Amino acid sequence: MWSGKLLSIVLPLVGFYLVVVGALYALQRPMIFRADMSPAPPDLHAVPGFREVSYRTEDGLDLRALHRPAAAGRPTLVYFHGNADGLSGSIRVTAGLAAEGYGLLLAGYRGYDGNPGSPSEAGLHADGRAALGWLAANGVPAPDTVLVGNSLGSGPATELAASFPVAGLVLISGYTSLPDVAAPVYPFVPVRLLMRDRFDNIGKIGRVAAPVLILHGTADRTIPFGHATALAAAAGDRARLVPFEGAGHELVGSPALFPVIGRWLDGLRRRGHGTLN
């Protein structure tokens, strides 16, 4: 009798749990990649100092991006923006670097800024490879580039830095992996088993031969500061970790951020990485 009553309670709860887990599994990409929340893309032909470029990915997508050539003796930075952002935000947060004469390729993602396709881990990696391919075809080889990834963008930036001989890697509010970010948010769901897009930065950063700069706010609640310390430890003596006391996940908008990057780039130039000599 009691077993029957217990089953009548437990079975609906189990069924409800399975429905919730199934829904989270099915909807995980729209939940992860918030292209729908990105600001409206700018008129790319009207951005001072930049020109609109387009490059084709290996799976046949033509993506829009913005390019600004480097001044003499300056490297080109490839900037991978965060989630719920796009080229408008990329222009704003890199303005200080543009003013110092650094070259910039503000990378476009599939599904963002009106670009075709739907975002995924494999897709964003392909988009990044297409961006580096475009630069190489236009006279800027990988050793003359520094990759900069903010938040979500730390995934493709780390993947590319582990795969190409770039001059440097900068991670802003980066994560060890997406499952590490999501698991504490959904403690009753087997996140590590179900996530399709993993962006395993902690497993890749050890293969990055270039110097690595890691910038992270100590009060970041979206991607806690522990992710930064773990990434720095995994990168070893190639990494420099700079904590920003009291800063949260919007660190990329801080005016204090890009002078730190500029000084680090000056250090690379003194050590002779790519065109940083």
Side-chain angles (χ1 to χ4, degrees):
M1 177 178 175
W2 283 106
S3 61
K5 288 183 177 180
L6 184 61
L7 284 175
S8 69
I9 296 172
V10 171
L11 289 179
L13 290 176
V14 171
F16 177 74
Y17 174 77
L18 293 176
V19 168
V20 170
V21 170
L24 289 172
Y25 179 79
L27 297 174
Q28 62 182 277
R29 281 189 172 147
M31 293 172 66
I32 293 169
F33 302 103
R34 300 314 307 266
D36 59 312
M37 295 180 64
S38 297
D43 179 358
L44 300 189
H45 296 287
V47 181
F50 287 89
R51 69 182 178 102
E52 179 180 356
V53 301
S54 176
Y55 40 77
R56 176 160 291 189
T57 66
E58 58 209 38
D59 54 346
L61 299 179
D62 292 314
L63 304 182
R64 301 189 308 163
L66 284 170
H67 177 247
R68 180 187 183 97
R74 295 288 194 181
T76 292
L77 312 183
V78 187
Y79 179 74
F80 297 94
H81 63 75
N83 213 356
D85 203 357
L87 293 176
S88 292
S90 299
I91 295 165
R92 175 176 52 82
V93 301
T94 60
L97 293 169
E100 293 297 321
Y102 292 102
L104 288 166
L105 179 63
L106 308 182
Y109 300 165
R110 62 188 62 207
Y112 289 73
D113 287 305
N115 281 323
S118 298
S120 66
E121 178 180 10
L124 264 61
H125 291 168
D127 301 344
R129 289 191 293 270
L132 289 187
W134 183 89
L135 280 174
N138 285 271
V140 185
D144 296 340
T145 65
V146 173
L147 308 183
V148 183
N150 175 50
S151 190
L152 175 65
S154 67
T158 303
E159 164 71 16
L160 293 170
S163 305
F164 292 88
V166 297
L169 171 66
V170 180
L171 300 181
I172 305 167
S173 305
Y175 45 83
T176 53
S177 72
L178 281 193
D180 288 346
V181 176
V185 180
Y186 300 98
F188 301 109
V189 176
V191 166
R192 299 183 188 281
L193 177 65
L194 297 178
M195 287 196 76
R196 288 177 284 178
D197 301 291
R198 310 188 74 82
F199 289 107
D200 182 23
N201 292 342
I202 193 75
K204 298 173 184 176
I205 201 166
R207 304 200 309 269
V208 177
V212 181
L213 176 63
I214 300 173
L215 310 169
H216 213 106
T218 60
D220 191 332
R221 295 184 178 180
T222 303
I223 302 174
F225 185 72
H227 286 251
T229 58
L231 287 169
D237 58 8
R238 297 183 314 284
R240 180 189 174 199
L241 170 60
V242 180
F244 286 77
E245 293 296 330
H249 194 62
E250 299 304 317
L251 175 63
V252 73
S254 169
L257 183 70
F258 286 99
V260 174
I261 296 176
R263 290 192 292 272
W264 182 77
L265 291 171
D266 287 342
L268 291 190
R269 183 176 61 213
R270 289 193 294 270
R271 295 196 296 272
H273 291 269
T275 54
L276 310 180
N277 52 29

